[in-house]
Amino acid sequence: MAHPVQLGFQDAASPIMEELLYFHDHTLMIVFLISSLVLYIISLMLSTKLTHTSTVDAQEVETVWTILPAVILILIALPSLRILYMMDEITTPSLTLKTMGHQWYWSYEYTDYENLFFDSYMIPLLDLKPGDLRLLEVDNRVALPTEMSIRMLVSSEDVLHSWAVPSLGVKTDAIPGRLNQITLMTSRPGIYYGQCSEICGANHSFMPIVLELVPLKYFEEWLLNML
C-alpha cells in the first residue's frame, strides 16, 4: 500500500497493474524528451542571435515537425490500446464475487456458494488495534485465491460508488440498476487496500476496501470456516 511522501504508484500485485506501470514509464520518458527538446530550443532562442530571418520556404522542416508528432502519438497509442484490450478481456472465471455499494459500506456475495455473503464496515477509530491503519481497516475482509481468474460484479443499491484497489489496477463504478464486470487476478499473496473513489455523500471517505489474497489451499480452509 502507499506510504507517506510517496511520489510513484503502489507496487503492482497483478499483471494488469504491471503493464500499467510499464506504460506510465514509457509515456513519461517520451514527455521528458519532448520537454527537454523544447527547453533547449527556447534557451537557444534567448541566448543566440536570430539567423535565417529571410527564410520564406522550408519544406523539409515543415515535413519533420508534421511527421514527428504523428510518430510520437503512435508510439503512445499502440501500447495504450493493447492494455485497454487486456483490461476488457473476459476469461472463464474460477470464482465470481458480487460487490454492492451502500451508503456507506460494501456488501459482498460469493455467488458460487450458498449463503456466503457479508457486509464490510470500516472499523471506528476507537476500536483500532495497535498496527491497524486508520480509515482503511474493515471488520470483514474479502478473501480471494491468488493466481486465479476472478470475476467481480459491481453495482450499487443507492447512489454512485466506485470500487477501486490501486495495487491491482482495478477501478470500476458501482451504478444503481447497472451491473459492471471486471476481471481480477493477483500474482502474489498479501493484503491490499482500496477505497470508494466516487464522491457518494457525507461519509464517502469511510468506505475502505480490504482484500486478503491467499493461496488456494488457505482459501479453501477459509471457505470451510465460513460455510
Side-chain angles (χ1 to χ4, degrees):
M1 64 167 293
H3 55 79
V5 302
Q6 178 175 335
L7 298 179
F9 290 98
Q10 298 182 24
D11 293 337
S14 69
I16 290 296
M17 189 59 189
E18 291 178 0
E19 293 290 339
L20 290 173
L21 289 179
Y22 294 147
F23 175 68
H24 169 266
D25 296 341
H26 166 75
T27 308
L28 192 63
M29 184 56 63
I30 293 176
V31 172
F32 175 76
L33 293 175
I34 293 175
S35 301
S36 300
L37 177 61
V38 172
L39 184 62
Y40 174 70
I41 294 175
I42 292 176
S43 63
L44 283 183
M45 292 175 61
L46 295 176
S47 59
T48 61
K49 294 182 178 180
L50 295 177
T51 56
H52 302 289
T53 55
S54 59
T55 301
V56 177
D57 190 18
Q59 294 291 338
E60 295 81 4
V61 175
E62 293 180 0
T63 302
V64 170
W65 72 38
T66 301
I67 294 178
L68 188 59
V71 172
I72 293 173
L73 290 176
I74 292 174
L75 292 176
I76 296 175
L78 291 181
S80 174
L81 291 173
R82 172 176 170 270
I83 295 176
L84 283 175
Y85 278 102
M86 289 176 61
M87 294 176 70
D88 287 338
E89 183 180 3
I90 303 299
T91 58
T92 302
S94 303
L95 180 69
T96 299
L97 178 65
K98 184 172 74 173
T99 304
M100 297 294 293
H102 309 266
Q103 288 182 311
W104 286 271
Y105 64 95
W106 297 99
S107 61
Y108 299 96
E109 179 182 353
Y110 293 78
T111 59
D112 298 299
Y113 306 92
E114 289 187 9
N115 299 323
L116 183 50
F117 55 88
F118 54 84
D119 297 330
S120 181
Y121 289 85
M122 186 192 76
I123 298 178
L125 183 61
L126 297 178
D127 296 336
L128 290 176
K129 299 176 182 178
D132 286 347
L133 301 172
R134 176 179 173 271
L135 300 182
L136 288 176
E137 297 293 348
V138 296
D139 54 357
N140 290 311
R141 292 177 174 176
V142 178
L144 294 172
T146 58
E147 299 180 345
M148 296 181 67
S149 178
I150 300 167
R151 177 171 56 191
M152 299 289 302
L153 302 177
V154 183
S155 187
S156 171
E157 285 199 352
D158 38 48
V159 299
L160 290 177
H161 300 278
S162 184
W163 197 86
V165 182
S167 293
L168 304 181
V170 294
K171 180 180 182 293
T172 186
D173 288 337
I175 304 173
R178 176 171 177 172
L179 200 63
N180 286 332
Q181 174 176 303
I182 54 174
T183 302
L184 177 67
M185 178 182 290
T186 56
S187 53
R188 55 188 171 87
I191 299 175
Y192 304 102
Y193 295 88
Q195 289 179 300
C196 177
S197 298
E198 186 79 43
I199 296 177
C200 55
N203 293 329
H204 157 68
S205 57
F206 305 130
M207 289 184 63
I209 301 164
V210 183
L211 303 183
E212 188 168 349
L213 281 303
V214 296
L216 182 59
K217 171 185 175 182
Y218 299 104
F219 176 72
E220 291 174 343
E221 295 178 357
W222 177 84
L223 281 178
L224 293 176
N225 293 330
M226 294 292 291
L227 294 174

Short mmCIF file of all heavy atoms in Angstrom, two decimals, residues 38-82:
data_model
loop_
_atom_site.label_atom_id
_atom_site.label_comp_id
_atom_site.label_asym_id
_atom_site.label_seq_id
_atom_site.Cartn_x
_atom_site.Cartn_y
_atom_site.Cartn_z
N VAL A 38 12.15 21.05 -26.16
CA VAL A 38 11.53 22.38 -26.18
C VAL A 38 12.31 23.36 -25.33
O VAL A 38 12.55 24.52 -25.73
CB VAL A 38 10.06 22.28 -25.72
CG1 VAL A 38 9.46 23.67 -25.54
CG2 VAL A 38 9.24 21.47 -26.70
N LEU A 39 12.75 22.93 -24.14
CA LEU A 39 13.53 23.81 -23.28
C LEU A 39 14.86 24.18 -23.93
O LEU A 39 15.31 25.35 -23.83
CB LEU A 39 13.77 23.12 -21.93
CG LEU A 39 14.50 23.94 -20.86
CD1 LEU A 39 13.67 25.17 -20.49
CD2 LEU A 39 14.76 23.09 -19.63
N TYR A 40 15.48 23.24 -24.62
CA TYR A 40 16.74 23.51 -25.31
C TYR A 40 16.54 24.53 -26.42
O TYR A 40 17.33 25.48 -26.58
CB TYR A 40 17.30 22.21 -25.87
CG TYR A 40 18.52 22.39 -26.74
CD1 TYR A 40 19.74 22.76 -26.19
CD2 TYR A 40 18.45 22.19 -28.12
CE1 TYR A 40 20.86 22.93 -26.99
CE2 TYR A 40 19.55 22.36 -28.93
CZ TYR A 40 20.76 22.73 -28.36
OH TYR A 40 21.86 22.90 -29.15
N ILE A 41 15.48 24.39 -27.20
CA ILE A 41 15.21 25.33 -28.30
C ILE A 41 14.91 26.73 -27.75
O ILE A 41 15.37 27.75 -28.28
CB ILE A 41 14.04 24.82 -29.16
CG1 ILE A 41 14.46 23.53 -29.88
CG2 ILE A 41 13.61 25.88 -30.17
CD1 ILE A 41 13.35 22.88 -30.66
N ILE A 42 14.13 26.80 -26.66
CA ILE A 42 13.83 28.10 -26.06
C ILE A 42 15.10 28.77 -25.56
O ILE A 42 15.31 29.98 -25.74
CB ILE A 42 12.81 27.93 -24.92
CG1 ILE A 42 11.45 27.51 -25.49
CG2 ILE A 42 12.67 29.22 -24.11
CD1 ILE A 42 10.40 27.23 -24.44
N SER A 43 15.96 27.99 -24.93
CA SER A 43 17.22 28.57 -24.42
C SER A 43 18.10 29.08 -25.56
O SER A 43 18.76 30.11 -25.44
CB SER A 43 17.98 27.54 -23.58
OG SER A 43 18.35 26.43 -24.37
N LEU A 44 18.10 28.35 -26.69
CA LEU A 44 18.87 28.82 -27.86
C LEU A 44 18.29 30.13 -28.40
O LEU A 44 19.03 31.05 -28.76
CB LEU A 44 18.84 27.76 -28.96
CG LEU A 44 19.76 26.54 -28.77
CD1 LEU A 44 19.66 25.62 -29.97
CD2 LEU A 44 21.20 26.97 -28.56
N MET A 45 16.98 30.22 -28.46
CA MET A 45 16.34 31.43 -28.98
C MET A 45 16.65 32.64 -28.09
O MET A 45 16.76 33.78 -28.58
CB MET A 45 14.83 31.23 -29.06
CG MET A 45 14.40 30.22 -30.12
SD MET A 45 12.62 29.92 -30.09
CE MET A 45 12.03 31.56 -30.47
N LEU A 46 16.79 32.43 -26.81
CA LEU A 46 17.04 33.54 -25.89
C LEU A 46 18.52 33.92 -25.80
O LEU A 46 18.84 35.04 -25.40
CB LEU A 46 16.52 33.18 -24.48
CG LEU A 46 15.01 32.99 -24.36
CD1 LEU A 46 14.65 32.56 -22.95
CD2 LEU A 46 14.27 34.28 -24.72
N SER A 47 19.40 32.98 -26.15
CA SER A 47 20.82 33.23 -25.93
C SER A 47 21.63 33.45 -27.20
O SER A 47 22.80 33.77 -27.15
CB SER A 47 21.44 32.05 -25.15
OG SER A 47 21.27 30.84 -25.89
N THR A 48 21.05 33.26 -28.37
CA THR A 48 21.78 33.44 -29.63
C THR A 48 21.06 34.46 -30.51
O THR A 48 19.87 34.73 -30.34
CB THR A 48 21.91 32.11 -30.40
OG1 THR A 48 20.61 31.63 -30.71
CG2 THR A 48 22.65 31.09 -29.56
N LYS A 49 21.80 34.99 -31.48
CA LYS A 49 21.22 35.93 -32.43
C LYS A 49 20.36 35.19 -33.45
O LYS A 49 20.64 34.05 -33.80
CB LYS A 49 22.32 36.71 -33.16
CG LYS A 49 23.12 37.63 -32.24
CD LYS A 49 24.15 38.40 -33.03
CE LYS A 49 24.92 39.37 -32.12
NZ LYS A 49 25.94 40.13 -32.88
N LEU A 50 19.30 35.82 -33.90
CA LEU A 50 18.44 35.22 -34.90
C LEU A 50 19.18 35.09 -36.22
O LEU A 50 19.89 36.00 -36.65
CB LEU A 50 17.18 36.06 -35.10
CG LEU A 50 16.24 36.16 -33.89
CD1 LEU A 50 15.08 37.09 -34.21
CD2 LEU A 50 15.72 34.78 -33.52
N THR A 51 19.01 33.94 -36.87
CA THR A 51 19.63 33.72 -38.18
C THR A 51 18.55 33.30 -39.16
O THR A 51 17.46 32.87 -38.77
CB THR A 51 20.70 32.62 -38.11
OG1 THR A 51 20.11 31.43 -37.59
CG2 THR A 51 21.85 33.05 -37.21
N HIS A 52 18.83 33.38 -40.41
CA HIS A 52 17.90 32.99 -41.48
C HIS A 52 16.57 33.72 -41.33
O HIS A 52 15.50 33.14 -41.49
CB HIS A 52 17.66 31.47 -41.49
CG HIS A 52 18.92 30.69 -41.65
ND1 HIS A 52 19.62 30.63 -42.83
CD2 HIS A 52 19.61 29.93 -40.76
CE1 HIS A 52 20.69 29.87 -42.69
NE2 HIS A 52 20.71 29.43 -41.44
N THR A 53 16.64 35.01 -41.06
CA THR A 53 15.39 35.78 -40.92
C THR A 53 14.69 35.98 -42.26
O THR A 53 13.52 36.36 -42.27
CB THR A 53 15.69 37.15 -40.29
OG1 THR A 53 16.68 37.82 -41.07
CG2 THR A 53 16.17 36.98 -38.86
N SER A 54 15.41 35.73 -43.34
CA SER A 54 14.80 35.93 -44.66
C SER A 54 14.22 34.64 -45.22
O SER A 54 13.76 34.62 -46.36
CB SER A 54 15.85 36.48 -45.64
OG SER A 54 16.94 35.58 -45.74
N THR A 55 14.25 33.57 -44.45
CA THR A 55 13.73 32.29 -44.93
C THR A 55 12.23 32.38 -45.13
O THR A 55 11.49 32.76 -44.22
CB THR A 55 14.05 31.16 -43.94
OG1 THR A 55 15.47 31.08 -43.78
CG2 THR A 55 13.52 29.83 -44.46
N VAL A 56 11.77 32.04 -46.33
CA VAL A 56 10.34 32.08 -46.65
C VAL A 56 9.78 30.67 -46.78
O VAL A 56 8.67 30.39 -46.33
CB VAL A 56 10.10 32.87 -47.95
CG1 VAL A 56 8.61 32.83 -48.32
CG2 VAL A 56 10.58 34.30 -47.81
N ASP A 57 10.56 29.77 -47.37
CA ASP A 57 10.07 28.42 -47.63
C ASP A 57 11.02 27.42 -46.98
O ASP A 57 12.23 27.48 -47.18
CB ASP A 57 9.99 28.19 -49.14
CG ASP A 57 9.26 26.91 -49.47
OD1 ASP A 57 8.54 26.40 -48.58
OD2 ASP A 57 9.39 26.43 -50.61
N ALA A 58 10.46 26.49 -46.18
CA ALA A 58 11.28 25.46 -45.53
C ALA A 58 10.48 24.17 -45.49
O ALA A 58 9.94 23.77 -44.46
CB ALA A 58 11.69 25.90 -44.13
N GLN A 59 10.37 23.53 -46.65
CA GLN A 59 9.55 22.33 -46.76
C GLN A 59 10.08 21.19 -45.88
O GLN A 59 9.30 20.44 -45.29
CB GLN A 59 9.51 21.88 -48.23
CG GLN A 59 8.79 22.84 -49.16
CD GLN A 59 7.30 22.89 -48.89
OE1 GLN A 59 6.74 21.97 -48.33
NE2 GLN A 59 6.66 23.99 -49.27
N GLU A 60 11.42 21.07 -45.80
CA GLU A 60 11.98 19.96 -45.03
C GLU A 60 11.63 20.08 -43.55
O GLU A 60 11.22 19.11 -42.91
CB GLU A 60 13.51 19.91 -45.21
CG GLU A 60 13.98 19.60 -46.61
CD GLU A 60 13.97 20.83 -47.51
OE1 GLU A 60 13.67 21.93 -46.99
OE2 GLU A 60 14.24 20.68 -48.72
N VAL A 61 11.77 21.30 -43.01
CA VAL A 61 11.46 21.50 -41.60
C VAL A 61 9.98 21.26 -41.32
O VAL A 61 9.61 20.61 -40.34
CB VAL A 61 11.87 22.93 -41.17
CG1 VAL A 61 11.44 23.18 -39.72
CG2 VAL A 61 13.37 23.11 -41.33
N GLU A 62 9.12 21.76 -42.19
CA GLU A 62 7.69 21.57 -42.01
C GLU A 62 7.31 20.09 -42.08
O GLU A 62 6.43 19.63 -41.34
CB GLU A 62 6.91 22.36 -43.05
CG GLU A 62 7.04 23.87 -42.88
CD GLU A 62 6.25 24.65 -43.93
OE1 GLU A 62 5.61 23.98 -44.78
OE2 GLU A 62 6.27 25.89 -43.89
N THR A 63 7.97 19.34 -42.94
CA THR A 63 7.70 17.90 -43.04
C THR A 63 8.09 17.19 -41.75
O THR A 63 7.34 16.34 -41.24
CB THR A 63 8.48 17.30 -44.22
OG1 THR A 63 8.10 17.97 -45.43
CG2 THR A 63 8.20 15.81 -44.33
N VAL A 64 9.25 17.57 -41.21
CA VAL A 64 9.71 16.92 -39.98
C VAL A 64 8.78 17.22 -38.83
O VAL A 64 8.36 16.32 -38.08
CB VAL A 64 11.15 17.37 -39.66
CG1 VAL A 64 11.54 16.90 -38.25
CG2 VAL A 64 12.12 16.82 -40.68
N TRP A 65 8.39 18.49 -38.63
CA TRP A 65 7.58 18.79 -37.46
C TRP A 65 6.10 18.44 -37.65
O TRP A 65 5.29 18.63 -36.76
CB TRP A 65 7.76 20.23 -37.00
CG TRP A 65 7.18 21.34 -37.82
CD1 TRP A 65 6.00 21.37 -38.48
CD2 TRP A 65 7.74 22.64 -37.98
NE1 TRP A 65 5.79 22.58 -39.07
CE2 TRP A 65 6.86 23.40 -38.78
CE3 TRP A 65 8.91 23.26 -37.54
CZ2 TRP A 65 7.11 24.72 -39.14
CZ3 TRP A 65 9.16 24.56 -37.90
CH2 TRP A 65 8.27 25.27 -38.69
N THR A 66 5.77 17.90 -38.83
CA THR A 66 4.44 17.32 -39.02
C THR A 66 4.45 15.82 -38.78
O THR A 66 3.56 15.27 -38.12
CB THR A 66 3.92 17.61 -40.44
OG1 THR A 66 3.87 19.02 -40.65
CG2 THR A 66 2.54 17.00 -40.64
N ILE A 67 5.47 15.14 -39.30
CA ILE A 67 5.54 13.67 -39.19
C ILE A 67 5.97 13.24 -37.79
O ILE A 67 5.43 12.27 -37.24
CB ILE A 67 6.50 13.12 -40.26
CG1 ILE A 67 5.92 13.37 -41.66
CG2 ILE A 67 6.74 11.63 -40.05
CD1 ILE A 67 6.80 12.90 -42.77
N LEU A 68 6.93 13.96 -37.19
CA LEU A 68 7.46 13.53 -35.90
C LEU A 68 6.39 13.46 -34.80
O LEU A 68 6.30 12.47 -34.07
CB LEU A 68 8.61 14.46 -35.49
CG LEU A 68 9.40 14.04 -34.25
CD1 LEU A 68 10.02 12.66 -34.46
CD2 LEU A 68 10.49 15.06 -33.93
N PRO A 69 5.53 14.48 -34.64
CA PRO A 69 4.47 14.34 -33.63
C PRO A 69 3.52 13.17 -33.90
O PRO A 69 3.05 12.52 -32.96
CB PRO A 69 3.73 15.68 -33.70
CG PRO A 69 4.72 16.63 -34.26
CD PRO A 69 5.53 15.83 -35.22
N ALA A 70 3.24 12.89 -35.18
CA ALA A 70 2.37 11.76 -35.51
C ALA A 70 3.01 10.44 -35.09
O ALA A 70 2.35 9.55 -34.55
CB ALA A 70 2.07 11.76 -37.00
N VAL A 71 4.32 10.31 -35.31
CA VAL A 71 5.03 9.10 -34.89
C VAL A 71 5.01 8.96 -33.38
O VAL A 71 4.80 7.86 -32.83
CB VAL A 71 6.48 9.13 -35.43
CG1 VAL A 71 7.28 7.97 -34.85
CG2 VAL A 71 6.49 9.08 -36.95
N ILE A 72 5.21 10.07 -32.67
CA ILE A 72 5.19 10.03 -31.20
C ILE A 72 3.82 9.60 -30.68
O ILE A 72 3.71 8.79 -29.76
CB ILE A 72 5.60 11.40 -30.64
CG1 ILE A 72 7.07 11.69 -30.96
CG2 ILE A 72 5.38 11.45 -29.13
CD1 ILE A 72 7.53 13.08 -30.58
N LEU A 73 2.76 10.13 -31.29
CA LEU A 73 1.40 9.75 -30.88
C LEU A 73 1.15 8.27 -31.12
O LEU A 73 0.48 7.60 -30.32
CB LEU A 73 0.37 10.59 -31.62
CG LEU A 73 0.30 12.07 -31.22
CD1 LEU A 73 -0.70 12.81 -32.10
CD2 LEU A 73 -0.10 12.21 -29.75
N ILE A 74 1.66 7.74 -32.21
CA ILE A 74 1.50 6.30 -32.48
C ILE A 74 2.24 5.48 -31.43
O ILE A 74 1.73 4.45 -30.95
CB ILE A 74 2.00 5.98 -33.90
CG1 ILE A 74 1.07 6.61 -34.94
CG2 ILE A 74 2.08 4.46 -34.11
CD1 ILE A 74 1.55 6.46 -36.36
N LEU A 75 3.45 5.92 -31.05
CA LEU A 75 4.21 5.20 -30.04
C LEU A 75 3.51 5.20 -28.69
O LEU A 75 3.72 4.30 -27.86
CB LEU A 75 5.60 5.84 -29.89
CG LEU A 75 6.55 5.67 -31.07
CD1 LEU A 75 7.85 6.42 -30.82
CD2 LEU A 75 6.83 4.20 -31.33
N ILE A 76 2.67 6.20 -28.44
CA ILE A 76 1.90 6.23 -27.20
C ILE A 76 0.59 5.45 -27.34
O ILE A 76 0.18 4.73 -26.42
CB ILE A 76 1.61 7.69 -26.78
CG1 ILE A 76 2.91 8.43 -26.46
CG2 ILE A 76 0.67 7.73 -25.59
CD1 ILE A 76 2.72 9.90 -26.15
N ALA A 77 -0.05 5.55 -28.49
CA ALA A 77 -1.38 4.96 -28.67
C ALA A 77 -1.35 3.44 -28.74
O ALA A 77 -2.22 2.77 -28.18
CB ALA A 77 -2.03 5.52 -29.93
N LEU A 78 -0.36 2.86 -29.42
CA LEU A 78 -0.35 1.41 -29.60
C LEU A 78 -0.27 0.64 -28.28
O LEU A 78 -1.08 -0.25 -28.03
CB LEU A 78 0.80 1.01 -30.55
CG LEU A 78 0.61 1.43 -32.01
CD1 LEU A 78 1.77 0.97 -32.85
CD2 LEU A 78 -0.70 0.86 -32.56
N PRO A 79 0.70 0.95 -27.39
CA PRO A 79 0.69 0.24 -26.11
C PRO A 79 -0.53 0.54 -25.27
O PRO A 79 -1.00 -0.30 -24.50
CB PRO A 79 1.98 0.70 -25.42
CG PRO A 79 2.49 1.85 -26.19
CD PRO A 79 1.88 1.81 -27.53
N SER A 80 -1.09 1.76 -25.40
CA SER A 80 -2.28 2.09 -24.64
C SER A 80 -3.47 1.23 -25.08
O SER A 80 -4.21 0.70 -24.23
CB SER A 80 -2.62 3.57 -24.83
OG SER A 80 -3.85 3.89 -24.23
N LEU A 81 -3.66 1.07 -26.38
CA LEU A 81 -4.75 0.24 -26.88
C LEU A 81 -4.56 -1.22 -26.48
O LEU A 81 -5.53 -1.91 -26.16
CB LEU A 81 -4.84 0.37 -28.40
CG LEU A 81 -5.32 1.72 -28.93
CD1 LEU A 81 -5.21 1.77 -30.45
CD2 LEU A 81 -6.75 1.98 -28.50
N ARG A 82 -3.32 -1.67 -26.47
CA ARG A 82 -3.06 -3.06 -26.08
C ARG A 82 -3.50 -3.31 -24.64
O ARG A 82 -4.15 -4.32 -24.35
CB ARG A 82 -1.56 -3.34 -26.23
CG ARG A 82 -1.11 -4.68 -25.66
CD ARG A 82 0.36 -4.92 -25.94
NE ARG A 82 0.85 -6.07 -25.22
CZ ARG A 82 1.37 -6.02 -24.01
NH1 ARG A 82 1.46 -4.84 -23.38
NH2 ARG A 82 1.81 -7.11 -23.42
#
